[in-house]
Amino acid sequence: MPTTTSSEPSLEEEFAEPKFRPPELLFLLRDLQAKLDKSLISVGKKRGIPGKTNPLSTVGFSNMCLLSPDKVVEKVSPYIKHIFTHLDEISSYFQRLVSLHDGVM
């Protein structure tokens, strides 16, 4: 699926030719960050009011909770390098674009 910086298309255009846009990238990066935070940061058991626990606190993290932190790092680390490489390329593209247009985008 190609990546684009164009504006959001109509529903028909999206079905005909789907593209990966900045909002989708931002959603995926935030989701990855939240899942890594949940599985890698050891906070300890929080004490709360009995009977007032949030049953939704682990929604979306069920598969991550099955893995040890070492296993999560082992699974994710090969992809992090590629993600950062692509983000650097995107950043360079926009820096070149700004420099070509005398600081105006």
Side-chain angles (χ1 to χ4, degrees):
M1 183 179 330
T3 304
T4 183
T5 58
S6 64
S7 61
E8 195 169 326
S10 67
L11 190 58
E12 294 82 24
E13 291 173 335
E14 185 66 23
F15 282 134
E17 190 178 346
K19 294 182 180 172
F20 190 64
R21 290 179 176 73
E24 289 90 8
L25 174 63
L26 188 58
F27 170 79
L28 291 174
L29 290 175
R30 285 182 177 156
D31 184 58
L32 176 64
Q33 186 246 336
K35 288 180 177 173
L36 290 176
D37 280 351
K38 178 80 173 175
S39 63
L40 298 180
I41 296 178
S42 155
V43 185
K45 180 116 173 122
K46 291 184 180 177
R47 294 180 185 236
I49 300 171
K52 296 286 185 175
T53 58
N54 185 0
L56 299 177
S57 65
T58 60
V59 170
F61 300 102
S62 57
N63 288 335
M64 295 293 280
C65 292
L66 297 175
L67 299 173
S68 70
D70 292 339
K71 197 68 167 171
V72 170
V73 169
E74 182 182 314
K75 296 282 187 185
V76 172
S77 59
Y79 300 104
I80 296 293
K81 178 182 176 188
H82 298 291
I83 291 170
F84 285 142
T85 300
H86 289 300
L87 290 174
D88 284 340
E89 289 175 17
I90 292 169
S91 175
S92 297
Y93 168 78
F94 283 106
Q95 288 172 358
R96 284 191 307 273
L97 192 62
V98 167
S99 69
L100 288 173
H101 292 92
D102 297 322
V104 179
M105 189 156 109

